[in-house]
Amino acid sequence: MQNPFQNAMAQLDKITKIKDFGEDFILKLRQPDRDIRISIPVKMDDGSIKIFDGYRVEYNNALGPYKGGIRYHKDTEVNEVKALAFWMTLKCAVAGIPMGGGKGGITVDPKELSKAELERLSRGWVRKLSDILGPRKDVPAPDVNTTPEIMAWMSDEYAKITKDETRATFTGKPLDKGGSAGREKATGLGGFYVFDSLREELGLPDKCKIAVQGFGNVGLNAAKIFIENGHSVVAISDSKGGIYNEQGLDIEKLSEHKKKTGSLSDFEGGKNITNEELLETKCDLLVPAAFENVINDKNAHKIASSAILELANGPITPEADEILFEKSIPVIPDILANSGGVTVSYFEWDQNLKGEQWSEKEVYGKLLPMMNDAAKKTYKKAKEYSTDLRRGAFILALERIQEKM
Ligand code: NAD
């Protein structure tokens, strides 16, 4: 399988076949502005020292400060971070926010560290990178396995080193540490708003049966929001496997079950399924909300949903994209579908700089029209170029970045 950055560049290549953006511009977009690799020494609880690999990729800042989350994962490596930083660049442009694209990470399985070790590691990442970070330079946020608490440690470390008290360098902070109301649900909710504004155009029923891969921040919140809005979630999974119920799952009870047993398996209100089965569920909407490359040339022909909403970053490989296109399964692409998260991150940054605190209602009131606008403009671009929504979103983003550059 190709690495995620090769996938991202393959997506870019496809666009150049539809619209000529000029060689110089595309050449510039094939590399990040900066790709920084660090080693972070951490004193472990037993007194020993362990060295961790960390990353920050600053991809493009034509539209504003670099913006993008920090991922903690045992498989995190530079190509993944570069791909995610590239997608962030396009995502901010699609969402219409004045931010550029970046991403960070540490190769670590956070479950293997104590809380104190995790805090020392997180503060260590900031110490190595504080020179390049800042409200007007580079603004990180959470991603897979990084939490508001970790953002609070990082924000605190940054303030200690630089004396910057705006708290606008990190977003996704807890509410009492300068966070924004509504950030936790923002990605799932934004995804729902995008889906809702395209639902009729995509020929989907007003009550959809949905399968969600991922039971974390994005997957779980999205599942709850879809249910609140009259749809049903017939399947959902985490890394160990999933649960299926044709009549719809009770997500609150399933969450309780997971809290008690540590897994989704053997939930009374459904039957156990594997992650492969989840992706092949017959339904109206499939929502990959876990990891990249989960829909690829091996399983794309088995997808049995009427449409896909990509809440994870890069869940569909370029080969699978072609197969789905031939099968006429529309894909609402990640850079549009999950842009609610970065949009509310931008709101948090804006509030920090202005010394304001908006209510959840105000935040969602600002999010809704921005997501609707991004969805409608993407749809229009796809129609204009007789192409799919991913290419429509890429063209919209690239036009905005090119104009600024
Ligand atoms: P998270 O760590 O909260 O949750 C990830 C979920 O995926 C967990 O339930 C985990 O069990 C599951 N998972 C891990 N590996 C899996 C596998 N191989 N198969 C099935 N499930 C697996 O992470 P998150 O914040 O919910 O992010 C999920 C995805 O959404 C990522 O691709 C992330 O980049 C993307 N995303 C997140 C945000 C955000 O605001 N958190 C914003 C935009 C995009």
Side-chain angles (χ1 to χ4, degrees):
M1 195 178 289
Q2 301 193 89
N3 76 49
F5 189 62
Q6 284 170 321
N7 286 345
M9 292 303 104
Q11 291 172 336
L12 184 61
D13 289 339
K14 281 187 192 174
I15 300 308
T16 58
K17 296 194 174 77
I18 304 178
K19 178 167 178 171
D20 182 8
F21 281 93
E23 262 179 42
D24 293 353
F25 176 62
I26 297 297
L27 194 66
K28 175 80 185 67
L29 278 184
R30 294 188 73 83
Q31 284 301 328
D33 288 343
R34 263 206 285 206
D35 154 8
I36 300 151
R37 301 172 207 201
I38 54 173
S39 56
I40 312 164
V42 175
K43 188 159 192 173
M44 306 305 279
D45 291 347
D46 65 5
S48 66
I49 299 283
K50 242 185 163 175
I51 310 284
F52 293 86
D53 293 328
Y55 314 88
R56 186 69 184 167
V57 172
E58 296 186 330
Y59 209 95
N60 183 290
N61 63 353
L63 294 177
Y66 302 103
K67 180 93 197 77
I70 306 164
R71 177 173 291 197
Y72 287 3
H73 197 273
K74 65 178 176 39
D75 298 328
T76 288
E77 48 81 42
V78 70
N79 285 305
E80 178 187 68
V81 184
K82 270 164 69 176
L84 291 164
F86 170 74
W87 287 321
M88 281 307 297
T89 305
L90 301 181
K91 191 180 303 183
C92 293
V94 170
I97 59 174
M99 293 276 176
K103 203 83 186 187
I106 300 179
T107 311
V108 59
D109 180 354
K111 289 189 193 119
E112 288 181 359
L113 301 192
S114 71
K115 192 169 167 184
E117 289 166 344
L118 197 62
E119 178 170 352
R120 290 196 286 275
L121 175 65
S122 304
R123 288 180 183 272
W125 188 91
V126 177
R127 277 198 296 278
K128 282 278 167 103
L129 292 168
S130 63
D131 281 353
I132 64 153
L133 305 175
R136 304 283 177 197
K137 295 195 282 188
D138 185 343
V139 184
D143 189 66
V144 174
N145 288 328
T146 44
T147 58
E149 186 178 36
I150 292 176
M151 292 306 113
W153 295 331
M154 289 185 156
S155 173
D156 179 63
E157 191 66 28
Y158 183 79
K160 267 197 216 158
I161 297 167
T162 64
K163 310 289 175 242
D164 176 285
E165 294 296 337
T166 63
R167 301 194 284 192
T169 300
F170 290 85
T171 60
K173 304 177 293 290
L175 207 49
D176 63 343
K177 301 258 180 346
S180 174
R183 175 61 183 90
E184 203 190 324
K185 285 195 211 158
T187 305
L189 184 63
F192 172 74
Y193 288 156
V194 167
F195 154 84
D196 207 35
S197 81
L198 295 176
R199 187 182 57 74
E200 281 181 23
E201 269 99 344
L202 301 183
L204 296 171
D206 53 6
K207 293 205 183 323
C208 286
K209 289 190 174 204
I210 300 170
V212 181
Q213 184 186 47
F215 205 74
N217 171 295
V218 179
L220 183 55
N221 277 307
K224 288 181 183 167
I225 293 162
F226 274 95
I227 292 170
E228 279 162 21
N229 285 280
H231 304 283
S232 64
V233 171
V234 293
I236 196 160
S237 68
D238 66 11
S239 57
K240 294 180 210 143
I243 286 287
Y244 174 81
N245 182 339
E246 201 193 343
Q247 303 310 315
L249 291 159
D250 184 331
I251 295 295
E252 298 299 340
K253 280 196 183 145
L254 185 57
S255 292
E256 286 298 311
H257 173 81
K258 180 162 175 169
K259 256 185 221 143
K260 263 191 230 145
T261 65
S263 118
L264 299 174
S265 304
D266 302 329
F267 174 58
E268 271 184 5
K271 68 166 191 172
N272 294 346
I273 53 169
T274 63
N275 259 298
E276 291 73 41
E277 287 169 327
L278 178 127
L279 294 170
E280 295 160 19
T281 302
K282 188 164 171 32
C283 57
D284 299 304
L285 186 72
L286 173 63
V287 182
F291 241 72
E292 55 265 17
N293 293 340
V294 293
I295 302 174
N296 46 56
D297 52 356
K298 311 254 174 335
N299 62 359
H301 56 281
K302 296 189 203 154
I303 300 296
S305 68
S306 305
I308 300 178
L309 178 72
E310 285 188 323
L311 290 188
N313 285 308
I316 300 178
T317 64
E319 298 79 16
D321 238 357
E322 294 303 330
I323 299 169
L324 296 168
F325 191 57
E326 278 160 27
K327 280 170 67 100
S328 301
I329 298 177
V331 175
I332 306 177
D334 47 7
I335 59 168
L336 168 66
N338 69 30
S339 65
V342 72
T343 303
V344 175
S345 272
Y346 155 63
F347 293 162
E348 179 176 335
W349 172 86
D350 200 27
Q351 289 170 76
N352 292 153
L353 289 178
K354 290 175 176 157
E356 294 176 359
Q357 182 92 58
W358 306 343
S359 69
E360 192 173 85
K361 201 167 160 223
E362 271 176 284
V363 167
Y364 296 157
K366 290 175 200 278
L367 181 65
L368 176 64
M370 289 179 74
M371 293 292 100
N372 281 343
D373 187 59
K376 296 285 180 213
K377 288 198 169 119
T378 296
Y379 187 78
K380 214 170 142 207
K381 271 295 163 214
K383 282 268 163 253
E384 186 185 334
Y385 286 88
S386 307
T387 189
D388 58 10
L389 291 168
R390 188 183 314 282
R391 283 172 260 213
F394 264 62
I395 294 171
L396 178 66
L398 292 174
E399 284 176 356
R400 285 175 171 171
I401 296 164
Q402 188 169 43
E403 195 188 324
K404 206 63 197 272
M405 279 168 77

